[in-house]
């Protein structure tokens, strides 16, 4: 199913309650536990990358706002 069909993209999805449940890593046999740990690690990496992208976006917007304000000040004195 495509992102448009599901109505939810990688940017606005929420982590299911199942990942937040207490003691999730201790359930099941060793293979399931290892698979779950890998899955949780992947989710953590995705979340970290997402947060990093948003932090970069904030920096870019702040610089853009600074430049616009400086340009408008310059233009007002022109």
């Amino acid at each position: 199913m495509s992102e448009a069909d599901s109505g939810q993209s990688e940017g606005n999805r929420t982590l299911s309650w199942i990942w937040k449940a207490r003691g999730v890593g201790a359930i099941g046999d060793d293979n399931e536990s290892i698979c779950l740990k890998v899955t949780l690690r992947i989710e953590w990496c995705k979340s970290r990358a997402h947060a990093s992208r948003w932090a970069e976006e904030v920096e870019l917007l702040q610089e853009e706002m600074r430049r616009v304000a400086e340009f408008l000040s310059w233009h007002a004195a022109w």
Side-chain angles (χ1 to χ4, degrees), residues 60-73:
L60 291 172
L61 285 173
Q62 288 175 337
E63 178 63 18
E64 183 178 355
M65 289 189 314
R66 185 194 68 77
R67 288 178 184 216
V68 167
E70 191 169 319
F71 169 77
L72 292 175
S73 295

Side-chain angles (χ1 to χ4, degrees), residues 7-76:
Q8 197 172 37
S9 68
E10 193 69 19
N12 66 359
R13 72 183 179 91
T14 56
L15 197 58
S16 172
W17 67 269
I18 194 77
W19 301 114
K20 299 174 188 174
R22 188 178 178 130
V24 169
I27 299 172
D29 63 0
D30 288 340
N31 287 338
E32 287 180 15
S33 181
I34 291 170
C35 182
L36 185 57
K37 287 178 184 179
V38 168
T39 302
L40 288 172
R41 189 173 295 144
I42 291 169
E43 284 295 324
W44 183 86
C45 289
K46 283 182 179 181
S47 296
R48 184 168 188 246
H50 188 103
S52 179
R53 284 193 299 273
W54 275 108
E56 181 182 10
E57 184 67 23
V58 167
E59 288 179 35
L60 291 172
L61 285 173
Q62 288 175 337
E63 178 63 18
E64 183 178 355
M65 289 189 314
R66 185 194 68 77
R67 288 178 184 216
V68 167
E70 191 169 319
F71 169 77
L72 292 175
S73 295
W74 172 81
H75 197 280

